[in-house]
Amino acid sequence: MTKTDIARRVYDNAWKLDPIVRSLLDTDFYKLLMLQMIWKLYPDVNATFSLINRTKSVRLADDIDEQELRDQLDFARTLRFTKKEMIWLAGNTFYGKKQIFAPEFLAWLADFQLPEYHLSRRDGQYELTFEGLWSHTTMWEIPALAIINELRSRSAMRGMGQFALDVLYARAKAKMWSKVELLRQHPELRISDFGTRRRHSFLWQRWCVEALKEGIGPSFSGTSNVLLAMDTDLEALGTNAHELPMVAAALAANDAELAEAPYKVLQDWNRLYGGNLLIVLPDAFGTAAFLKHAPDWVADWTGFRPDSAPPIEGGEKIIAWWKEKGRDPREKLLIFSDGLDVNTIIETYEHFKGRVRMSFGWGTNLTNDFVGCAPHPFRGLDPISVVCKVSDAGGRPAVKLSDNPQKATGEPAEVQRYLKFFGTEDFVELPVKV
Amino acid sequence: MTKTDIARRVYDNAWKLDPIVRSLLDTDFYKLLMLQMIWKLYPDVNATFSLINRTKSVRLADDIDEQELRDQLDFARTLRFTKKEMIWLAGNTFYGKKQIFAPEFLAWLADFQLPEYHLSRRDGQYELTFEGLWSHTTMWEIPALAIINELRSRSAMRGMGQFALDVLYARAKAKMWSKVELLRQHPELRISDFGTRRRHSFLWQRWCVEALKEGIGPSFSGTSNVLLAMDTDLEALGTNAHELPMVAAALAANDAELAEAPYKVLQDWNRLYGGNLLIVLPDAFGTAAFLKHAPDWVADWTGFRPDSAPPIEGGEKIIAWWKEKGRDPREKLLIFSDGLDVNTIIETYEHFKGRVRMSFGWGTNLTNDFVGCAPHPFRGLDPISVVCKVSDAGGRPAVKLSDNPQKATGEPAEVQRYLKFFGTEDFVELPVKV
């Protein structure tokens, strides 16, 4: 008897769209936390998000078909939170807290739809922007990036035969498992999946999450992906992102407000959340400037997430600052999340072991490491550095400096103004690979 | 819509037997070549084949359920050559020759059935023997070994979850492909699959054959597995085995006939086949003794298959012998087939390059290399050294010495008699891993 399922075969040949983002929960948890704050405190602020491909050598508009991209974005706009998803958001415990989302916020969320997008092409790249209320445009960041990255993977794999794909995924799985085996030698390590935006594909991210669950068990703290957290009973993880200080800075009416902006958003955050959610993201305009001017209460927060300095240097500076403020770093938490891979994770962990609590948010190199996996030499699946950043808030350009000038975003003149204002102390120029 | 095929799911849960050997062509090609000779020249000779597990530390009777083994052996006995198979055997060109199988032989083959088996247990091992006409029992060697090895794999994998199996096969594929990439650096190399008897499973052997086809293309000469050769349009490869001189020696009525036996079977072979099929297997009673007493016409044959000496030492001795006989080794062929893996293949190839033609028959380490592939440390899939040898012919014990005393088989007293008769020159004691 032949084993081919004829109906399945016909369906596979006939389908119109294989949607990449199939749920509004297929996003990073911190987007929901930030969304509640934006909805509550900044309901009338407009913010534009823009796609930025830092890997200029990859011409995305040549690799990705425009109609396919539109079809995927359009499909994402048809999504609403389902009843099951709403019930889970209301009933689940996040970071040890029940009802982290207010009933009024959830009532508003029930009707949420991703807003319109603007798509055009220039010089082989896509100009993809989302304009409108911050409380809507912010939600495009993760699905837009996931769609771009998965469409690029699909395009790269289009020419591969069945056997080549078989080898490709076998090697990617073997590679992933060899990382798991390395991590298993450090059972005290705490790792979480931060790889939604850069993932090779949704199914691949799910496989990687399963691999961590199977392989390192209790060392795997959870995932930033809310859908995967729900479906696999993992912790949903994440706190806040650069968009908060970036928008606050863009909205500043004068230099005093600009200087205050990075701390003001932390105070906003503290009003809504507390405990383990009190994680400082210090590098929006440079970590050194942030620490120099930080009020004492910042040292009371649970921890920091250095996101652009080299992890050991960045971590040492924060530890030194805690000590200066009379705090014991062993009671504090450092969350590393910038361009990590197994070796940097283990190296950083070994360096700080016993001196500070640590957690590692593993992104691109967890969910999109196909380097050297194709059966023949092939670079089309190497990850690229693509982001979706707030580019404009309240009608004014938004800027991010970070500790690595290569990661700065914003209009050049405005970037210069910020550099002059915040200074460039301890900036380290490093190539941005992922 | 749920994607589960309900009928398939029920079938998967309800089936009675997943047969391992599903075709009488699922055997090594040389068995058919030898069978035609046995059928023609030794139709009345009885020969017993016996399973020998050289890896005593693995207690096969503990690992493999007796009823499952009986079910598989019984299923193999229900097989007949199908019409399609008979037509292919008659119509295909083997080693450049049409109609290598005589019509009378094929007519006889059409009714062929594997004979009865005898199965008992002793000290944690199976005693599995096939008694009767040599022209029937000889055909059990390969299916019996394939069944034993695949049942052992199945038993070892029984406790593994779906994810563990996924990682296992991904790593095995990645490992196999890394071997392909090494071999690809030597496009002049000629490799063939000799791995049927020792395979992890039929499906895995098929995957490995596909991998070689995809990966090294023209460097992949073919497979010894007749079914895979037919199904994938590859060359069916193989010439003759130790059972020919072993039976001839057992039948010898006196010392003169015993001395003649190794050469007599070559003359028999020459009567039926010629050209590329004239490959000498010299080590049944030691290569040194074979060469010392070999008639000059042996040097006219196409090549040798040294099967138990270390490949470089063994090859050098045969090359020296060819030169002594005034033959140019560059026109001769050496087929290596004993316990090869990528490194020994490449090393041997580099050693002899330009001095002799070479071909590599890759067995256990091609089709059963799962060492280190399970997601957690596990030795249950390490290959074992199990063979099915003629133990008795014409009512007299059969013996193999080989160049490595570890590979000798036969009753100890009879082995001693042969050792005394043929000598032990150049014997090299080596551990038999596979």
Side-chain angles (χ1 to χ4, degrees):
Chain A
M1 191 198 84
T2 175
K3 294 295 195 309
T4 310
D5 177 338
I6 305 176
R8 175 64 176 272
R9 179 74 165 242
V10 172
Y11 173 77
D12 285 351
N13 275 295
W15 67 9
K16 283 275 179 289
L17 185 73
D18 183 0
I20 290 169
V21 173
R22 301 177 181 210
S23 158
L24 286 175
L25 283 192
D26 185 9
T27 192
D28 276 347
F29 180 59
Y30 75 176
K31 298 300 310 197
L32 296 179
L33 291 176
M34 289 190 289
L35 184 63
Q36 178 165 243
M37 175 173 142
I38 296 163
W39 164 83
K40 194 160 186 170
L41 304 178
Y42 301 85
D44 304 321
V45 170
N46 280 302
T48 302
F49 277 74
S50 303
L51 188 81
I52 302 166
N53 174 18
R54 295 180 190 135
T55 311
K56 296 283 171 235
S57 58
V58 170
R59 292 167 60 92
L60 283 177
D62 293 349
D63 289 350
I64 298 174
D65 180 76
E66 184 176 331
Q67 192 55 50
E68 279 187 63
L69 176 52
R70 288 184 183 278
D71 289 345
Q72 292 291 345
L73 296 168
D74 290 342
F75 184 87
R77 292 200 64 227
T78 67
L79 297 171
R80 301 293 182 278
F81 289 97
T82 68
K83 275 191 201 172
K84 174 179 82 171
E85 293 169 345
M86 294 304 302
I87 292 166
W88 183 80
L89 285 176
N92 190 47
T93 301
F94 297 97
Y95 281 93
K97 272 179 80 168
K98 291 199 172 202
Q99 293 181 306
I100 204 166
F101 299 111
E104 308 77 41
F105 171 66
L106 290 176
W108 174 82
L109 202 63
D111 295 323
F112 184 87
Q113 176 186 11
L114 288 169
E116 289 188 6
Y117 60 88
H118 304 277
L119 179 65
S120 59
R121 308 158 74 109
R122 181 189 288 183
D123 295 338
Q125 300 296 341
Y126 282 118
E127 299 202 322
L128 178 59
T129 55
F130 309 98
E131 295 169 20
L133 285 174
W134 188 17
S135 60
H136 283 72
T137 54
T138 184
M139 288 293 281
W140 258 122
E141 180 189 5
I142 308 302
L145 290 171
I147 286 169
I148 288 281
N149 281 308
E150 186 161 347
L151 283 180
R152 182 166 169 266
S153 309
R154 289 186 186 179
S155 158
M157 295 186 295
R158 200 146 283 164
M160 294 189 190
Q162 199 175 357
F163 188 85
L165 290 170
D166 192 14
V167 171
L168 175 81
Y169 282 105
R171 294 178 114 185
K173 286 176 180 176
K175 194 174 190 185
M176 174 63 200
W177 197 260
S178 69
K179 297 182 186 184
V180 165
E181 290 190 331
L182 285 173
L183 293 174
R184 226 163 27 192
Q185 295 168 18
H186 305 273
E188 300 305 314
L189 250 168
R190 287 296 168 268
I191 300 220
S192 49
D193 157 38
F194 276 21
T196 299
R197 69 191 65 195
R198 294 287 181 74
R199 68 194 184 199
H200 168 84
S201 72
F202 173 75
L203 292 176
W204 179 248
Q205 181 184 18
R206 196 170 69 184
W207 194 90
C208 294
V209 164
E210 276 180 61
L212 288 174
K213 218 177 157 179
E214 287 269 338
I216 63 171
S219 301
F220 182 39
S221 328
T223 170
S224 66
N225 188 294
V226 197
L227 182 65
L228 289 175
M230 180 178 78
D231 283 348
T232 56
D233 270 348
L234 284 166
E235 290 292 319
L237 297 178
T239 61
N240 55 62
H242 296 111
E243 67 182 282
L244 300 185
M246 288 171 76
V247 170
L251 296 177
N254 50 51
D255 280 1
E257 283 186 26
L258 180 57
E260 266 312 296
Y263 313 107
K264 180 184 178 313
V265 291
L266 296 184
Q267 287 172 303
D268 291 344
W269 189 260
N270 199 9
R271 254 188 281 166
L272 266 82
Y273 309 111
N276 290 326
L277 281 166
L278 295 183
I279 301 296
V280 181
L281 182 67
D283 65 329
F285 313 117
T287 300
F290 179 91
L291 293 176
K292 190 188 284 179
H293 304 293
D296 280 352
W297 56 261
V298 173
D300 294 329
W301 279 38
T302 307
F304 275 64
R305 178 162 77 89
D307 194 44
S308 52
I312 289 175
E313 275 177 62
E316 287 293 358
K317 273 166 197 155
I318 293 161
I319 287 175
W321 183 81
W322 273 323
K323 286 184 176 164
E324 204 183 294
K325 296 283 174 183
R327 303 307 197 285
D328 183 353
R330 286 172 301 179
E331 289 165 12
K332 297 291 182 184
L333 178 66
L334 284 178
I335 301 177
F336 298 97
S337 60
D338 181 37
L340 299 174
D341 205 352
V342 162
N343 296 331
T344 44
I345 290 174
I346 292 173
E347 190 191 341
T348 306
Y349 171 73
E350 292 287 350
H351 178 86
F352 287 115
K353 200 164 58 173
R355 297 171 53 206
V356 64
R357 294 192 293 135
M358 284 173 275
S359 172
F360 294 86
W362 195 8
T364 314
N365 291 318
L366 167 63
T367 60
N368 201 356
D369 185 4
F370 284 73
V371 175
C373 292
H376 296 267
F378 182 67
R379 306 300 303 266
L381 287 172
D382 289 7
I384 58 172
S385 183
V386 58
V387 293
C388 184
K389 283 286 174 191
V390 58
S391 54
D392 171 301
R396 298 185 32 80
V399 163
K400 185 182 102 165
L401 297 180
S402 96
D403 292 324
N404 176 0
Q406 293 280 335
K407 293 185 93 172
T409 65
E411 284 184 9
E414 198 71 357
V415 169
Q416 285 310 313
R417 183 170 83 87
Y418 276 61
L419 284 171
K420 211 166 155 188
F421 187 82
F422 289 102
T424 58
E425 195 186 329
D426 292 338
F427 277 24
V428 181
E429 182 120 3
L430 286 172
V432 179
K433 288 184 198 146
V434 293
Chain B
M1 191 198 84
T2 176
K3 296 293 196 307
T4 310
D5 178 336
I6 305 175
R8 175 65 176 272
R9 180 74 166 245
V10 172
Y11 174 76
D12 286 351
N13 275 295
W15 68 8
K16 284 273 179 290
L17 186 74
D18 184 0
I20 291 168
V21 173
R22 300 177 180 207
S23 159
L24 287 174
L25 283 191
D26 185 9
T27 192
D28 277 347
F29 180 59
Y30 74 177
K31 297 301 312 196
L32 295 179
L33 291 176
M34 289 190 290
L35 184 64
Q36 179 166 240
M37 176 171 141
I38 297 163
W39 164 84
K40 195 159 185 167
L41 304 179
Y42 301 84
D44 304 322
V45 170
N46 280 303
T48 301
F49 278 73
S50 304
L51 188 80
I52 302 166
N53 175 19
R54 295 180 190 135
T55 311
K56 295 282 172 235
S57 58
V58 171
R59 292 167 61 91
L60 284 177
D62 293 348
D63 289 350
I64 298 173
D65 180 78
E66 183 176 332
Q67 192 54 51
E68 279 186 64
L69 176 53
R70 289 184 182 277
D71 290 344
Q72 292 291 344
L73 296 168
D74 290 341
F75 184 88
R77 292 200 65 226
T78 69
L79 296 170
R80 302 292 183 277
F81 288 97
T82 68
K83 276 192 197 170
K84 176 179 82 172
E85 292 169 347
M86 294 304 301
I87 292 166
W88 183 79
L89 285 176
N92 190 47
T93 301
F94 297 96
Y95 281 92
K97 272 180 81 169
K98 291 198 174 204
Q99 294 181 305
I100 203 167
F101 298 111
E104 307 76 39
F105 171 67
L106 290 175
W108 175 81
L109 202 63
D111 294 323
F112 183 87
Q113 177 186 10
L114 288 169
E116 288 187 9
Y117 60 89
H118 304 278
L119 178 66
S120 59
R121 307 158 74 110
R122 181 189 289 183
D123 295 337
Q125 301 294 342
Y126 282 116
E127 300 204 320
L128 178 60
T129 56
F130 309 98
E131 295 169 20
L133 285 175
W134 189 16
S135 60
H136 283 72
T137 55
T138 183
M139 288 294 279
W140 259 121
E141 180 189 6
I142 309 301
L145 290 171
I147 286 170
I148 289 282
N149 281 308
E150 187 161 348
L151 283 180
R152 182 166 169 267
S153 308
R154 289 185 186 180
S155 158
M157 295 186 296
R158 200 146 283 164
M160 293 189 190
Q162 198 175 357
F163 188 86
L165 290 169
D166 191 12
V167 170
L168 175 81
Y169 282 105
R171 294 178 113 185
K173 286 176 180 177
K175 193 173 191 185
M176 174 62 200
W177 196 260
S178 69
K179 297 182 186 183
V180 165
E181 289 191 332
L182 285 173
L183 293 174
R184 225 162 30 192
Q185 295 168 18
H186 304 274
E188 300 305 314
L189 249 168
R190 288 294 169 269
I191 300 219
S192 48
D193 157 38
F194 276 21
T196 299
R197 69 191 64 195
R198 294 287 181 79
R199 68 194 182 198
H200 166 84
S201 73
F202 173 75
L203 292 176
W204 179 248
Q205 182 184 19
R206 195 170 70 183
W207 194 90
C208 294
V209 164
E210 277 181 59
L212 288 173
K213 216 176 160 181
E214 286 268 339
I216 64 171
S219 301
F220 182 39
S221 328
T223 170
S224 65
N225 187 292
V226 196
L227 181 63
L228 288 175
M230 179 178 78
D231 283 348
T232 56
D233 271 348
L234 283 166
E235 290 291 321
L237 297 179
T239 61
N240 55 62
H242 296 111
E243 67 182 278
L244 300 185
M246 288 170 75
V247 171
L251 297 177
N254 51 50
D255 280 0
E257 282 186 27
L258 180 57
E260 267 311 298
Y263 314 106
K264 178 184 180 315
V265 290
L266 295 183
Q267 287 172 304
D268 290 344
W269 189 260
N270 200 9
R271 254 189 280 166
L272 266 83
Y273 310 111
N276 290 327
L277 281 167
L278 296 182
I279 301 296
V280 181
L281 181 67
D283 65 329
F285 312 117
T287 301
F290 178 90
L291 293 176
K292 190 186 286 180
H293 304 292
D296 281 352
W297 56 260
V298 174
D300 294 328
W301 278 39
T302 307
F304 274 64
R305 177 161 78 88
D307 195 44
S308 53
I312 289 176
E313 275 177 62
E316 286 294 359
K317 273 170 196 152
I318 293 161
I319 287 175
W321 183 81
W322 273 323
K323 285 185 175 163
E324 204 182 294
K325 296 283 174 185
R327 304 307 198 283
D328 183 352
R330 286 172 301 180
E331 290 167 11
K332 297 292 183 184
L333 178 65
L334 285 178
I335 301 178
F336 297 96
S337 59
D338 181 37
L340 299 174
D341 204 355
V342 162
N343 296 331
T344 43
I345 289 174
I346 291 173
E347 191 193 340
T348 306
Y349 171 74
E350 291 289 348
H351 178 86
F352 288 114
K353 199 164 58 174
R355 297 171 52 207
V356 64
R357 294 192 295 134
M358 283 171 276
S359 174
F360 294 85
W362 196 9
T364 314
N365 291 317
L366 167 63
T367 59
N368 202 356
D369 184 3
F370 283 72
V371 176
C373 291
H376 296 267
F378 182 68
R379 307 299 303 267
L381 287 171
D382 290 6
I384 58 172
S385 183
V386 57
V387 294
C388 184
K389 285 285 174 193
V390 58
S391 53
D392 172 301
R396 296 184 35 78
V399 163
K400 186 181 102 164
L401 298 180
S402 96
D403 292 324
N404 176 0
Q406 293 281 332
K407 293 184 95 174
T409 66
E411 283 183 11
E414 198 72 358
V415 169
Q416 286 309 315
R417 183 170 83 89
Y418 276 60
L419 283 171
K420 210 166 159 189
F421 188 83
F422 289 103
T424 58
E425 195 185 331
D426 292 338
F427 277 23
V428 180
E429 180 119 5
L430 285 172
V432 179
K433 287 184 199 146
V434 294

